[in-house]
Amino acid sequence: MKDHTIIIVRSLPEGGRKKEKFTVPLQPGATVLQGLVHIYDTVDSTLAFRYSCRYNHCGLCGISADGRPRLACKTKLETTEEVAPLANLPILRDLAVDRTRYYSRFKGMRLYPEGDAAEPLGHLVEESLHRNLMGCLECLCCVASCPSHSLSDVSFGGPYLFVKLAQLHLDSRDRTDRRAQAAEKGLARCRECKKCRCPNGIDLHGALEALNK
Amino acid sequence: MAEGYDVVCVGGGGAGIMAAVAAAEQGARVAVVSKEPVGYGNTRLAVGLMACSGLPGDTREAFIEDVLAGGEWLGDRRLVEALVDGAAEAAARLESFGHTFIRDSEGFLSQQAVTRAGGHSRSRTLRSSGIGIGLCQSLRAAVEKHGIGLYEDTLVSRLVKNEGRVCGIKALDLAEGREYVLGAKAVVLCTGGGGWLFYPQTSNARTATGDGYALAYEAGAELVDMEQVQAIPFAVTSPAAYRGLFCGEPALAGPYGRILNGDGDTILDGGINNMSRAAVVSRMAGEIVAGRVGPNGGLTLDLRPNLEHEDGLKARDRLREVGMFDVVLPAYGRKAYDWEEPWEVLPTVHFFMGGVRADQDGRTCVPGLFAAGEVMGGVHGGNRLGSVALTEIFVFGWRAGLAAAEYAGSSPAAEPAACLGDSGLYGRRGAIRPVTLVRRLQALLWEKAGLVRNREGLLDGLREIDAIEALAKTAGVSEKRVYNTEAADFLELGFMLTTARLVLTAALLREESRGAHLRGDFPASGGKDWQKNIILRRAEDGTVDCRMEVSRA
Ligand SMILES: Cc1cc2nc3c(=O)[nH]c(=O)nc-3n(C[C@H](O)[C@H](O)[C@H](O)COP(=O)(O)OP(=O)(O)OC[C@H]3O[C@@H](n4cnc5c(N)ncnc54)[C@H](O)[C@@H]3O)c2cc1C
Ligand code: SF4
Ligand code: SF4
Ligand code: FES
């Protein structure tokens, strides 16, 4: 079996980063996640990273692969040289995102349907964009690709929040003005930008448009 | 951190969140403690299929009989009745949280909108917008709406008892590397299953390490039918990164699909979609044990015959829309995904039917301790039908949450024993890394207690578990405090060893083949004589106390 050398950029809790080189076997069809698990199992089990499902269901394995935000379980190991934590997100250690801290940005935004909900299990028409957006893995890759998002400035919502707001806006059971919330959270900045990317097929730009109209 | 709650739900999957919301609606002070972020677990990985009651063309009796017969008469009728009676309400409650079940083109839950999942005699299964991912987004939102305390990345390492009652939990905050005790008048265990004990041959989430079985057992609760570990027939065998990942239940075969062994002989031809999971796995296991397998140890699933029939093509498109076999695309490529090429499959560990013994309201025999969701046993008996797990976790999560709130309201606050300080977990010296032993245990379990079991293998397995347990005492954990998963591995290893011992002990006792439990040395069903539940409990001297009871199917 061929070997593959990979650099891992480890975020240190006390601040700063450290680059480390590891050699891992390159099995056929190997993923970056498989490489990380191999390192964890055989070399260094202090390597911190998240995963749960091994393929495309949990959204916990987001990393930056050669600078591109990706799910580690869907990224080919063979063509990846450097793995780093997702940019612009709070990191606990090494590659593990502090998700609790990230979510705390949205406290009080009432991100659930409110109002005179239609009769549950009764008549309901779902727009295809809503169906698409409900598949958002919440991996936060898009957030890492947004130039306007910053850790220290919570006044700007960012693409993940806009997907959430668009889901609710498109939900006939919700009565809150989600467009107004999006506007308050800086949606105007998106108009000339559209730099965010979703590696998982979520129609991010459709979501932004739905909030903008 | 002396702050106490009325109700603490351990586990932030579907059952734990539902229990928390139920208790919060009763006015209880509630927290969810979960070793992952809240809204994950196996619930996140689900295809989002949920069996519902009261749909046109269905009856209460038909649903109840399907579950009991599917479980080969090991299930508890009272639990199954509660399951069926609460199903529609549970589905409606999810929609009130913001979840969407997929309607027909007119916007109704008509027969066009529902499907017939494996083992059911009627179409009663709802599909979810955004599958398990969408479902979990709605569940997270419900937690926020109800002002429930959140302890994420926090692993519960022990249930704390005082005067015979559970009165709190010992927790490890993985994010900060801090141990503490949280007081609770009632604890609801919602820790999910234990498929990860068989990694990589499992469809389950990384966190499904069977912690809840061990926590309950150590606290003195009873466990029922722990030998009943379901393998689902179809998982991919390669690439190694995806080995063991779920790509379908019997329905995937469509009406005309067939299964071939490694010699190219057809072993099942057509109608697989109407067979139970247990029946398909049992047929496949025979070939696998005999070594008539393909290059990666599996059998061949050939779905091409479906393409010649209209109903076959329909089955493909529907299953594709549901997202049941998504992983086939990266694993085997486009042609396989289009069913134009056969591919290799191997059964994979999917669900624990057995678990903590509880009544319809989640009460265990230990005062103050409740259980709900996959960690609870007794509903599915020897085999779980497709789409009933989600029904189970939401129905019983709700009921257990209500009962726990009521119990908390009438029970005086018990102070958990003085704060257990630092246990010396971080920086414990040792020559072996916990994950090494975890991997050794997992390989052992698949070999000795995976598809087919026999007496010799199980006895060997139990001895090997003792050996790994002895080595575990010498395992080390680095001193890093922040998100040090070695610490989690170390604690999980302890749970896995206990749960493994319970599974093997029960498997040794059941000297017949029934449901998911296949014995090479007792290949036949024991018939009515064996319609018995195996009940395990920790004896005073620390050994496993076993007894059998006639099942209440
Ligand atoms: C791939 C896949 C597809 C499936 N599809 C379907 C389907 O379509 N329909 C269906 O009905 N069923 C399906 N199932 C089964 C179903 O998803 C599960 O049985 C169900 O979701 C279990 O829910 P739960 O709340 O009991 O446990 P989980 O959702 O697994 O949640 C358990 C939680 O407890 C936490 N936890 C565990 N131990 C500890 C501890 N010691 N301390 C703190 N927290 C802890 C975990 O982190 C996790 O968050 C599927 C399962 C899989 C794996
Ligand atoms: S929109 Fe895409 S990139 Fe962003 S969180 Fe959702 S799945 Fe991840
Ligand atoms: S459009 Fe630009 S500013 Fe707006 S969310 Fe996307 S990347 Fe960020
Ligand atoms: S491990 Fe779950 S999405 Fe990658």
mmCIF file of all heavy atoms in Angstrom, chain A residues 92 98 100, chain B residues 1 33-35 150-157 170-180 425-426 480-484 487-488 491:
data_model
loop_
_atom_site.group_PDB
_atom_site.id
_atom_site.type_symbol
_atom_site.label_atom_id
_atom_site.label_comp_id
_atom_site.label_asym_id
_atom_site.label_seq_id
_atom_site.Cartn_x
_atom_site.Cartn_y
_atom_site.Cartn_z
ATOM 1 N N LEU A 92 -11.962 24.445 19.887
ATOM 2 C CA LEU A 92 -11.599 23.957 21.212
ATOM 3 C C LEU A 92 -10.119 23.587 21.231
ATOM 4 O O LEU A 92 -9.333 24.154 21.980
ATOM 5 C CB LEU A 92 -12.445 22.738 21.581
ATOM 6 C CG LEU A 92 -13.903 23.024 21.948
ATOM 7 C CD1 LEU A 92 -14.720 21.748 21.934
ATOM 8 C CD2 LEU A 92 -13.981 23.682 23.326
ATOM 9 N N ASP A 98 -15.781 24.537 18.535
ATOM 10 C CA ASP A 98 -16.596 24.733 19.736
ATOM 11 C C ASP A 98 -18.000 25.128 19.274
ATOM 12 O O ASP A 98 -18.321 26.308 19.124
ATOM 13 C CB ASP A 98 -15.994 25.826 20.616
ATOM 14 C CG ASP A 98 -16.707 25.938 21.957
ATOM 15 O OD1 ASP A 98 -17.827 25.401 22.085
ATOM 16 O OD2 ASP A 98 -16.136 26.563 22.870
ATOM 17 N N THR A 100 -20.950 24.755 20.668
ATOM 18 C CA THR A 100 -21.804 25.401 21.667
ATOM 19 C C THR A 100 -21.576 26.909 21.638
ATOM 20 O O THR A 100 -22.504 27.710 21.657
ATOM 21 C CB THR A 100 -21.499 24.831 23.060
ATOM 22 O OG1 THR A 100 -21.585 23.406 22.983
ATOM 23 C CG2 THR A 100 -22.470 25.347 24.095
ATOM 24 N N MET B 1 -20.793 24.253 40.852
ATOM 25 C CA MET B 1 -21.752 23.538 39.992
ATOM 26 C C MET B 1 -22.716 22.700 40.846
ATOM 27 O O MET B 1 -23.025 21.561 40.545
ATOM 28 C CB MET B 1 -20.964 22.650 39.011
ATOM 29 C CG MET B 1 -21.757 22.054 37.862
ATOM 30 S SD MET B 1 -22.721 23.203 36.880
ATOM 31 C CE MET B 1 -21.425 24.085 36.011
ATOM 32 N N VAL B 33 -28.117 16.595 29.120
ATOM 33 C CA VAL B 33 -26.673 16.436 29.182
ATOM 34 C C VAL B 33 -26.281 15.452 28.092
ATOM 35 O O VAL B 33 -26.800 14.340 28.049
ATOM 36 C CB VAL B 33 -26.241 15.871 30.557
ATOM 37 C CG1 VAL B 33 -24.728 15.753 30.631
ATOM 38 C CG2 VAL B 33 -26.775 16.749 31.678
ATOM 39 N N SER B 34 -25.391 15.856 27.201
ATOM 40 C CA SER B 34 -25.076 14.969 26.087
ATOM 41 C C SER B 34 -23.605 15.054 25.716
ATOM 42 O O SER B 34 -23.023 16.135 25.673
ATOM 43 C CB SER B 34 -25.936 15.332 24.880
ATOM 44 O OG SER B 34 -25.878 14.298 23.929
ATOM 45 N N LYS B 35 -23.022 13.927 25.411
ATOM 46 C CA LYS B 35 -21.591 13.931 25.122
ATOM 47 C C LYS B 35 -21.286 14.476 23.736
ATOM 48 O O LYS B 35 -20.130 14.703 23.401
ATOM 49 C CB LYS B 35 -20.974 12.552 25.352
ATOM 50 C CG LYS B 35 -21.445 11.449 24.452
ATOM 51 C CD LYS B 35 -20.796 10.115 24.859
ATOM 52 C CE LYS B 35 -21.282 8.981 23.978
ATOM 53 N NZ LYS B 35 -20.686 7.704 24.325
ATOM 54 N N LEU B 150 -28.693 23.299 28.806
ATOM 55 C CA LEU B 150 -27.930 22.500 27.860
ATOM 56 C C LEU B 150 -26.528 22.242 28.375
ATOM 57 O O LEU B 150 -25.797 23.185 28.694
ATOM 58 C CB LEU B 150 -27.781 23.275 26.547
ATOM 59 C CG LEU B 150 -28.833 23.087 25.470
ATOM 60 C CD1 LEU B 150 -28.352 23.709 24.169
ATOM 61 C CD2 LEU B 150 -29.124 21.619 25.276
ATOM 62 N N TYR B 151 -26.154 20.999 28.433
ATOM 63 C CA TYR B 151 -24.780 20.627 28.790
ATOM 64 C C TYR B 151 -24.256 19.783 27.644
ATOM 65 O O TYR B 151 -24.448 18.566 27.615
ATOM 66 C CB TYR B 151 -24.754 19.862 30.104
ATOM 67 C CG TYR B 151 -25.205 20.697 31.286
ATOM 68 C CD1 TYR B 151 -26.551 20.950 31.513
ATOM 69 C CD2 TYR B 151 -24.270 21.252 32.151
ATOM 70 C CE1 TYR B 151 -26.965 21.735 32.583
ATOM 71 C CE2 TYR B 151 -24.669 22.037 33.223
ATOM 72 C CZ TYR B 151 -26.019 22.276 33.433
ATOM 73 O OH TYR B 151 -26.419 23.050 34.493
ATOM 74 N N GLU B 152 -23.627 20.431 26.676
ATOM 75 C CA GLU B 152 -23.149 19.713 25.494
ATOM 76 C C GLU B 152 -21.700 19.308 25.701
ATOM 77 O O GLU B 152 -21.003 19.852 26.547
ATOM 78 C CB GLU B 152 -23.282 20.594 24.251
ATOM 79 C CG GLU B 152 -24.738 21.001 24.000
ATOM 80 C CD GLU B 152 -24.916 21.802 22.724
ATOM 81 O OE1 GLU B 152 -24.456 22.965 22.668
ATOM 82 O OE2 GLU B 152 -25.531 21.273 21.789
ATOM 83 N N ASP B 153 -21.238 18.356 24.883
ATOM 84 C CA ASP B 153 -19.887 17.815 25.022
ATOM 85 C C ASP B 153 -19.642 17.376 26.467
ATOM 86 O O ASP B 153 -18.547 17.536 26.999
ATOM 87 C CB ASP B 153 -18.829 18.860 24.609
ATOM 88 C CG ASP B 153 -18.868 19.139 23.103
ATOM 89 O OD1 ASP B 153 -19.173 18.213 22.338
ATOM 90 O OD2 ASP B 153 -18.594 20.291 22.710
ATOM 91 N N THR B 154 -20.687 16.865 27.093
ATOM 92 C CA THR B 154 -20.583 16.455 28.486
ATOM 93 C C THR B 154 -21.005 15.003 28.638
ATOM 94 O O THR B 154 -22.139 14.642 28.306
ATOM 95 C CB THR B 154 -21.461 17.364 29.371
ATOM 96 O OG1 THR B 154 -21.024 18.711 29.206
ATOM 97 C CG2 THR B 154 -21.345 16.979 30.836
ATOM 98 N N LEU B 155 -20.084 14.202 29.107
ATOM 99 C CA LEU B 155 -20.314 12.760 29.206
ATOM 100 C C LEU B 155 -20.717 12.388 30.624
ATOM 101 O O LEU B 155 -20.060 12.791 31.580
ATOM 102 C CB LEU B 155 -19.023 12.044 28.796
ATOM 103 C CG LEU B 155 -19.056 10.520 28.690
ATOM 104 C CD1 LEU B 155 -18.125 10.070 27.566
ATOM 105 C CD2 LEU B 155 -18.650 9.850 29.978
ATOM 106 N N VAL B 156 -21.789 11.647 30.747
ATOM 107 C CA VAL B 156 -22.216 11.188 32.069
ATOM 108 C C VAL B 156 -21.470 9.905 32.390
ATOM 109 O O VAL B 156 -21.548 8.928 31.650
ATOM 110 C CB VAL B 156 -23.741 10.972 32.109
ATOM 111 C CG1 VAL B 156 -24.164 10.342 33.427
ATOM 112 C CG2 VAL B 156 -24.445 12.308 31.898
ATOM 113 N N SER B 157 -20.720 9.925 33.482
ATOM 114 C CA SER B 157 -19.871 8.772 33.780
ATOM 115 C C SER B 157 -20.467 7.869 34.847
ATOM 116 O O SER B 157 -20.045 6.742 35.019
ATOM 117 C CB SER B 157 -18.480 9.235 34.219
ATOM 118 O OG SER B 157 -18.580 10.077 35.344
ATOM 119 N N LYS B 170 -22.923 11.988 37.664
ATOM 120 C CA LYS B 170 -21.558 12.486 37.641
ATOM 121 C C LYS B 170 -21.216 12.753 36.183
ATOM 122 O O LYS B 170 -21.496 11.906 35.325
ATOM 123 C CB LYS B 170 -20.595 11.465 38.239
ATOM 124 C CG LYS B 170 -19.185 12.020 38.272
ATOM 125 C CD LYS B 170 -18.227 11.176 39.058
ATOM 126 C CE LYS B 170 -16.880 11.905 39.099
ATOM 127 N NZ LYS B 170 -15.771 10.988 39.259
ATOM 128 N N ALA B 171 -20.673 13.909 35.916
ATOM 129 C CA ALA B 171 -20.461 14.305 34.533
ATOM 130 C C ALA B 171 -19.025 14.718 34.295
ATOM 131 O O ALA B 171 -18.319 15.140 35.212
ATOM 132 C CB ALA B 171 -21.383 15.473 34.190
ATOM 133 N N LEU B 172 -18.617 14.570 33.034
ATOM 134 C CA LEU B 172 -17.305 15.046 32.610
ATOM 135 C C LEU B 172 -17.509 16.040 31.479
ATOM 136 O O LEU B 172 -18.016 15.680 30.410
ATOM 137 C CB LEU B 172 -16.453 13.862 32.120
ATOM 138 C CG LEU B 172 -15.170 14.233 31.392
ATOM 139 C CD1 LEU B 172 -14.191 14.906 32.343
ATOM 140 C CD2 LEU B 172 -14.514 13.003 30.780
ATOM 141 N N ASP B 173 -17.161 17.277 31.723
ATOM 142 C CA ASP B 173 -17.236 18.292 30.680
ATOM 143 C C ASP B 173 -16.012 18.127 29.789
ATOM 144 O O ASP B 173 -14.893 18.467 30.182
ATOM 145 C CB ASP B 173 -17.265 19.675 31.340
ATOM 146 C CG ASP B 173 -17.297 20.799 30.318
ATOM 147 O OD1 ASP B 173 -16.919 20.560 29.142
ATOM 148 O OD2 ASP B 173 -17.692 21.913 30.686
ATOM 149 N N LEU B 174 -16.235 17.566 28.612
ATOM 150 C CA LEU B 174 -15.107 17.266 27.722
ATOM 151 C C LEU B 174 -14.455 18.532 27.182
ATOM 152 O O LEU B 174 -13.251 18.554 26.926
ATOM 153 C CB LEU B 174 -15.582 16.429 26.542
ATOM 154 C CG LEU B 174 -15.878 14.960 26.840
ATOM 155 C CD1 LEU B 174 -16.634 14.336 25.682
ATOM 156 C CD2 LEU B 174 -14.570 14.220 27.083
ATOM 157 N N ALA B 175 -15.255 19.556 27.004
ATOM 158 C CA ALA B 175 -14.710 20.785 26.430
ATOM 159 C C ALA B 175 -13.664 21.398 27.356
ATOM 160 O O ALA B 175 -12.651 21.922 26.895
ATOM 161 C CB ALA B 175 -15.823 21.783 26.152
ATOM 162 N N GLU B 176 -13.912 21.310 28.658
ATOM 163 C CA GLU B 176 -12.985 21.929 29.604
ATOM 164 C C GLU B 176 -12.168 20.924 30.405
ATOM 165 O O GLU B 176 -11.227 21.307 31.105
ATOM 166 C CB GLU B 176 -13.768 22.818 30.591
ATOM 167 C CG GLU B 176 -14.387 24.029 29.920
ATOM 168 C CD GLU B 176 -15.115 24.907 30.918
ATOM 169 O OE1 GLU B 176 -14.951 24.683 32.138
ATOM 170 O OE2 GLU B 176 -15.838 25.800 30.473
ATOM 171 N N GLY B 177 -12.571 19.665 30.367
ATOM 172 C CA GLY B 177 -11.852 18.663 31.134
ATOM 173 C C GLY B 177 -12.107 18.771 32.622
ATOM 174 O O GLY B 177 -11.190 18.760 33.439
ATOM 175 N N ARG B 178 -13.384 18.889 32.979
ATOM 176 C CA ARG B 178 -13.755 19.113 34.363
ATOM 177 C C ARG B 178 -14.812 18.086 34.755
ATOM 178 O O ARG B 178 -15.759 17.848 34.022
ATOM 179 C CB ARG B 178 -14.359 20.521 34.454
ATOM 180 C CG ARG B 178 -14.341 21.186 35.791
ATOM 181 C CD ARG B 178 -14.652 22.694 35.595
ATOM 182 N NE ARG B 178 -15.710 22.908 34.629
ATOM 183 C CZ ARG B 178 -17.009 22.886 34.942
ATOM 184 N NH1 ARG B 178 -17.403 22.668 36.164
ATOM 185 N NH2 ARG B 178 -17.921 23.094 33.998
ATOM 186 N N GLU B 179 -14.646 17.503 35.945
ATOM 187 C CA GLU B 179 -15.639 16.541 36.425
ATOM 188 C C GLU B 179 -16.470 17.179 37.522
ATOM 189 O O GLU B 179 -15.940 17.914 38.356
ATOM 190 C CB GLU B 179 -14.943 15.299 36.975
ATOM 191 C CG GLU B 179 -14.223 14.500 35.906
ATOM 192 C CD GLU B 179 -13.501 13.302 36.486
ATOM 193 O OE1 GLU B 179 -12.351 13.468 36.929
ATOM 194 O OE2 GLU B 179 -14.080 12.216 36.523
ATOM 195 N N TYR B 180 -17.756 16.871 37.553
ATOM 196 C CA TYR B 180 -18.612 17.426 38.606
ATOM 197 C C TYR B 180 -19.860 16.588 38.772
ATOM 198 O O TYR B 180 -20.141 15.691 37.961
ATOM 199 C CB TYR B 180 -18.987 18.875 38.301
ATOM 200 C CG TYR B 180 -19.710 19.078 36.991
ATOM 201 C CD1 TYR B 180 -21.088 19.031 36.916
ATOM 202 C CD2 TYR B 180 -18.996 19.308 35.815
ATOM 203 C CE1 TYR B 180 -21.754 19.217 35.711
ATOM 204 C CE2 TYR B 180 -19.649 19.487 34.608
ATOM 205 C CZ TYR B 180 -21.027 19.438 34.569
ATOM 206 O OH TYR B 180 -21.676 19.610 33.365
ATOM 207 N N LEU B 425 -8.462 11.158 36.418
ATOM 208 C CA LEU B 425 -8.587 10.645 35.055
ATOM 209 C C LEU B 425 -7.535 11.266 34.136
ATOM 210 O O LEU B 425 -6.827 10.562 33.411
ATOM 211 C CB LEU B 425 -10.001 10.966 34.549
ATOM 212 C CG LEU B 425 -10.347 10.620 33.120
ATOM 213 C CD1 LEU B 425 -10.262 9.116 32.891
ATOM 214 C CD2 LEU B 425 -11.769 11.109 32.790
ATOM 215 N N TYR B 426 -7.434 12.597 34.197
ATOM 216 C CA TYR B 426 -6.469 13.272 33.318
ATOM 217 C C TYR B 426 -5.065 13.052 33.845
ATOM 218 O O TYR B 426 -4.809 13.207 35.037
ATOM 219 C CB TYR B 426 -6.786 14.769 33.238
ATOM 220 C CG TYR B 426 -8.042 15.016 32.446
ATOM 221 C CD1 TYR B 426 -9.276 15.115 33.086
ATOM 222 C CD2 TYR B 426 -8.004 15.105 31.057
ATOM 223 C CE1 TYR B 426 -10.438 15.310 32.362
ATOM 224 C CE2 TYR B 426 -9.167 15.304 30.325
ATOM 225 C CZ TYR B 426 -10.374 15.408 30.974
ATOM 226 O OH TYR B 426 -11.524 15.584 30.244
ATOM 227 N N LYS B 480 -3.899 16.622 28.851
ATOM 228 C CA LYS B 480 -4.587 17.723 28.162
ATOM 229 C C LYS B 480 -6.033 17.804 28.645
ATOM 230 O O LYS B 480 -6.729 16.809 28.711
ATOM 231 C CB LYS B 480 -4.578 17.482 26.651
ATOM 232 C CG LYS B 480 -3.210 17.581 26.016
ATOM 233 C CD LYS B 480 -3.333 17.558 24.499
ATOM 234 C CE LYS B 480 -2.077 18.021 23.813
ATOM 235 N NZ LYS B 480 -0.914 17.143 24.007
ATOM 236 N N ARG B 481 -6.497 19.009 28.934
ATOM 237 C CA ARG B 481 -7.846 19.147 29.498
ATOM 238 C C ARG B 481 -8.891 19.449 28.428
ATOM 239 O O ARG B 481 -10.030 19.022 28.530
ATOM 240 C CB ARG B 481 -7.865 20.276 30.538
ATOM 241 C CG ARG B 481 -7.082 19.954 31.789
ATOM 242 C CD ARG B 481 -7.947 19.208 32.791
ATOM 243 N NE ARG B 481 -7.123 18.618 33.845
ATOM 244 C CZ ARG B 481 -7.599 18.069 34.949
ATOM 245 N NH1 ARG B 481 -8.901 18.016 35.163
ATOM 246 N NH2 ARG B 481 -6.810 17.538 35.845
ATOM 247 N N VAL B 482 -8.513 20.231 27.455
ATOM 248 C CA VAL B 482 -9.517 20.720 26.504
ATOM 249 C C VAL B 482 -9.810 19.671 25.432
ATOM 250 O O VAL B 482 -8.920 19.241 24.706
ATOM 251 C CB VAL B 482 -9.038 22.031 25.838
ATOM 252 C CG1 VAL B 482 -10.052 22.501 24.802
ATOM 253 C CG2 VAL B 482 -8.819 23.097 26.889
ATOM 254 N N TYR B 483 -11.046 19.258 25.365
ATOM 255 C CA TYR B 483 -11.542 18.297 24.386
ATOM 256 C C TYR B 483 -10.555 17.150 24.168
ATOM 257 O O TYR B 483 -10.091 16.894 23.067
ATOM 258 C CB TYR B 483 -11.894 18.983 23.057
ATOM 259 C CG TYR B 483 -12.916 18.196 22.273
ATOM 260 C CD1 TYR B 483 -14.231 18.084 22.720
ATOM 261 C CD2 TYR B 483 -12.567 17.502 21.126
ATOM 262 C CE1 TYR B 483 -15.163 17.325 22.036
ATOM 263 C CE2 TYR B 483 -13.490 16.741 20.426
ATOM 264 C CZ TYR B 483 -14.788 16.664 20.892
ATOM 265 O OH TYR B 483 -15.717 15.902 20.218
ATOM 266 N N ASN B 484 -10.258 16.495 25.260
ATOM 267 C CA ASN B 484 -9.347 15.342 25.209
ATOM 268 C C ASN B 484 -10.183 14.077 25.093
ATOM 269 O O ASN B 484 -10.742 13.593 26.068
ATOM 270 C CB ASN B 484 -8.500 15.318 26.488
ATOM 271 C CG ASN B 484 -7.534 14.151 26.523
ATOM 272 O OD1 ASN B 484 -7.582 13.278 25.668
ATOM 273 N ND2 ASN B 484 -6.672 14.144 27.522
ATOM 274 N N ALA B 487 -9.890 10.815 27.237
ATOM 275 C CA ALA B 487 -10.640 10.682 28.489
ATOM 276 C C ALA B 487 -12.005 10.047 28.217
ATOM 277 O O ALA B 487 -12.459 9.173 28.956
ATOM 278 C CB ALA B 487 -10.809 12.050 29.154
ATOM 279 N N ALA B 488 -12.637 10.474 27.114
ATOM 280 C CA ALA B 488 -13.919 9.875 26.745
ATOM 281 C C ALA B 488 -13.717 8.399 26.406
ATOM 282 O O ALA B 488 -14.483 7.539 26.844
ATOM 283 C CB ALA B 488 -14.530 10.624 25.563
ATOM 284 N N LEU B 491 -13.467 6.224 29.550
ATOM 285 C CA LEU B 491 -14.748 5.969 30.224
ATOM 286 C C LEU B 491 -15.654 5.092 29.354
ATOM 287 O O LEU B 491 -16.311 4.177 29.841
ATOM 288 C CB LEU B 491 -15.440 7.290 30.569
ATOM 289 C CG LEU B 491 -14.674 8.149 31.586
ATOM 290 C CD1 LEU B 491 -15.297 9.539 31.708
ATOM 291 C CD2 LEU B 491 -14.646 7.465 32.956
#
